[in-house]
Each structure stands twice: as structure tokens, then as C-alpha cells.
């Protein structure tokens, strides 16, 4: 139920500096943090139900919450994406969530990873293989022989 950073003190040893003390909103009871990403002047801390966006310059926070849970946060092309359980794939823009797709294939699958391929996103699911999401937000199965093999396995 804490997150922060290590900072060298005058003796050269590291001291832990908690950032949760700067929050105006209390943490969720027993909140655990599973992901940390850095992007420009922000550090993002992901728990199971929230993403805390820390602005290093202003020393302030934005918080994105989810009642259904957040499975994982992904950094792709200097952008942050995350999946809300049973809802879809979102992107963080200006500290706010923006829906990328709520296609039932994605909202009903667990995303394991996201890759950048020729300006499209290659979405890897746990049990349904890979899908390409193009710039027009059209979702299609990845046209690769390996994809059929991956669909028959849990990643």
C-alpha cells in the first residue's frame, strides 16, 4: 500500500521517498501495485483498480479508476494503453482515459502484450491469439500461420 522512489542521501546510501503521502485521494484498502511506467515528465503506477499518474514537474497526481479492474498497462510508441476487464482497451491522453476499442473480442479476452507493427497495434491475447488494430480502429485476426497454433494454447 505504498509507492515511491529511492534517493541518495548525503552519505551515498539510498532512502525511500513515499509518493502516496502526496495523494489527496486515499489508497484502496490493501491496494497493491503491479506496474510502473515512465513517460516524459510522468511516472505511472498501476494497481488492480487504478492508475496513478504522477507529474514530476508539478508534483501532482491524476487518477484513473476502474470498478471492473485493470489487467495490465502497456507502453507502446511512447503512449500508454491499458485494459479494463470486460470493457475494452483504453489509452491515456492528457492524463485522462480514452476508449480505443470495446470490440467484444478484446473486451472478453485478457491482453498479454501490445506491439507496434506498421502504425497498427498487434494485440496478443491470452487464449485467442493475435489481432491487428489499425489506425481506423478496425480489428482483424493477425494473418500469420503461427496465430492458429497460438489460439490453441494459453499464453
Amino acid at each position: 500500500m505504498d509507492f515511491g522512489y529511492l534517493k541518495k542521501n548525503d552519505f551515498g546510501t539510498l532512502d525511500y521517498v513515499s509518493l502516496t503521502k502526496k495523494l489527496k485521494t486515499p489508497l484502496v484498502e490493501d491496494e497493491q501495485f503491479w506496474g510502473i511506467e515512465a513517460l516524459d515528465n510522468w511516472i505511472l503506477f498501476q494497481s488492480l483498480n487504478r492508475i496513478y499518474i504522477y507529474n514530476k514537474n508539478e508534483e501532482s497526481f491524476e487518477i484513473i479508476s476502474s470498478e471492473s479492474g485493470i489487467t495490465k498497462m502497456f507502453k507502446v510508441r511512447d503512449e500508454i494503453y491499458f485494459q479494463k476487464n470486460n470493457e475494452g482497451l483504453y489509452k491515456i491522453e492528457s492524463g485522462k482515459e480514452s476508449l480505443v476499442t470495446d470490440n467484444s473480442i478484446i473486451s472478453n479476452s485478457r491482453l498479454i502484450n501490445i506491439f507496434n507493427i506498421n502504425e497498427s497495434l498487434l494485440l496478443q491475447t491470452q487464449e485467442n491469439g493475435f489481432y491487428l488494430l489499425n489506425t481506423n480502429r478496425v480489428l482483424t485476426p493477425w494473418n500469420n500461420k503461427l496465430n492458429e497454433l497460438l489460439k490453441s494454447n494459453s499464453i
Side-chain angles (χ1 to χ4, degrees):
M1 289 193 54
D2 198 351
F3 58 84
Y5 60 92
L6 297 171
K7 182 177 182 179
K8 275 190 181 180
N9 62 25
D10 294 339
F11 301 104
T13 59
L14 297 175
D15 290 331
Y16 179 73
V17 179
S18 173
L19 289 175
T20 57
K21 294 177 175 131
K22 296 182 181 206
L23 287 170
K24 294 177 183 169
T25 304
L27 295 175
V28 175
E29 184 66 31
D30 291 329
E31 193 164 11
Q32 298 175 22
F33 297 89
W34 296 97
I36 301 172
E37 290 289 349
L39 181 64
D40 299 325
N41 294 317
W42 297 275
I43 306 291
L44 295 91
F45 301 89
Q46 183 236 322
S47 71
L48 297 177
N49 291 93
R50 290 181 177 169
I51 296 175
Y52 296 84
I53 305 167
Y54 179 65
N55 184 319
K56 295 187 299 185
N57 293 339
E58 298 174 7
E59 297 186 4
S60 62
F61 283 94
E62 294 289 332
I63 300 173
I64 294 173
S65 297
S66 172
E67 293 294 323
S68 63
I70 298 171
T71 55
K72 191 173 176 186
M73 189 170 52
F74 307 92
K75 185 177 177 182
V76 183
R77 298 185 306 236
D78 289 329
E79 297 176 313
I80 302 293
Y81 294 87
F82 64 96
Q83 181 183 29
K84 285 187 177 183
N85 294 333
N86 304 313
E87 290 186 37
L89 179 65
Y90 291 80
K91 177 180 174 179
I92 299 177
E93 296 179 311
S94 302
K96 307 289 181 210
E97 66 184 70
S98 173
L99 181 66
V100 175
T101 183
D102 60 356
N103 185 297
S104 62
I105 293 169
I106 299 306
S107 61
N108 295 323
S109 299
R110 183 180 178 112
L111 288 179
I112 300 300
N113 218 332
I114 301 176
F115 306 93
N116 177 35
I117 294 191
N118 301 326
E119 299 305 312
S120 293
L121 295 176
L122 181 62
L123 309 175
Q124 180 184 9
T125 66
Q126 185 172 13
E127 297 187 0
N128 294 315
F130 284 85
Y131 291 86
L132 279 171
L133 184 67
N134 69 19
T135 54
N136 295 324
R137 298 185 178 188
V138 175
L139 188 72
T140 55
W142 186 39
N143 187 16
N144 188 302
K145 291 179 185 178
L146 179 62
N147 200 24
E148 291 306 313
L149 174 66
L150 291 172
K151 285 182 182 180
S152 64
N153 293 287
S154 179
I155 306 301

